[in-house]
C-alpha cells in the first residue's frame, strides 16, 4: 500500500481495503456452507484476517481526507463509531439472530410433531 501511495495513487488505502473485502467476503460465506469443522476454521480465519485488516487502512484514510484542523476530531469520531457499531450492535445482532433461529427451529419441530400426530 505504501508503494501505491508513493506512486501517487491517492486512494491506495481504499483499494487495499476493497481487495481485502473481495477476498474475505467469499471466504466468510463459504465458511458457513462447509460441513467440516477444520475447513470452517481455516475459512473463518482467512475471513477475519482480511476483514479486520481494514482498521489501520480506514484510520489512515480518515486522516488523509480530513482537513488538518479536524483530523483529531475525525479520528475520535471514527473510533467512537467503530466501538459503538462493533461492541454495541455486534452482540445485539448475534443474540437477535440466535433467538430468531431458535424460534424458527421450534416452529419446525412443532410442525413435524403435528404432522406425525395427524398421520397416526
Amino acid at each position: 500500500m505504501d508503494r501505491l501511495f508513493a506512486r501517487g495513487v491517492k486512494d491506495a488505502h481504499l483499494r487495499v481495503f476493497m481487495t481485502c473485502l473481495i477476498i474475505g467476503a467469499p471466504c466468510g460465506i463459504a465458511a458457513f456452507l462447509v460441513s467440516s469443522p477444520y475447513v470452517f476454521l481455516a475459512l473463518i480465519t482467512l475471513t477475519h484476517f482480511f476483514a479486520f485488516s481494514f482498521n489501520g487502512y480506514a484510520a489512515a484514510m480518515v486522516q488523509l481526507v480530513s482537513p488538518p484542523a479536524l483530523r483529531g476530531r475525525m479520528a475520535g469520531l471514527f473510533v467512537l463509531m467503530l466501538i459503538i457499531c462493533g461492541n454495541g450492535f455486534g452482540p445485539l445482532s448475534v443474540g437477535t439472530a440466535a433467538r430468531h433461529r431458535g424460534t424458527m427451529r421450534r416452529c419446525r419441530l412443532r410442525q413435524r410433531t403435528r404432522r406425525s400426530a395427524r398421520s397416526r
Side-chain angles (χ1 to χ4, degrees):
M1 177 183 39
D2 291 334
R3 288 185 205 148
L4 286 174
F5 196 74
R7 279 192 240 154
V9 179
K10 296 294 182 192
D11 62 344
H13 300 87
L14 189 59
R15 288 185 186 194
V16 171
F17 170 63
M18 290 304 295
T19 304
C20 289
L21 187 62
I22 289 169
I23 295 170
C27 292
I29 293 168
F32 291 99
L33 299 176
V34 298
S35 58
S36 170
Y38 299 110
V39 176
F40 169 80
L41 187 61
L43 288 171
I44 207 73
T45 300
L46 283 173
T47 302
H48 282 265
F49 176 76
F50 287 111
F52 294 120
S53 65
F54 84 94
N55 286 335
Y57 306 135
M61 195 67 183
V62 167
Q63 296 292 322
L64 289 172
V65 299
S66 300
L70 295 176
R71 284 189 182 158
R73 290 181 185 161
M74 294 301 290
L77 184 64
F78 171 74
V79 171
L80 176 70
M81 288 295 119
L82 194 66
I83 290 172
I84 287 175
C85 292
N87 295 344
F89 296 130
L92 179 66
S93 63
V94 169
T96 303
R99 174 184 252 177
H100 178 68
R101 184 173 179 199
T103 303
M104 294 301 290
R105 193 176 287 166
R106 283 192 296 272
C107 289
R108 286 188 206 124
L109 287 174
R110 286 181 192 152
Q111 288 174 354
R112 287 181 192 161
T113 55
R114 287 179 189 161
R115 287 180 192 160
S116 64
R118 288 180 195 163
S119 64
R120 291 183 189 172

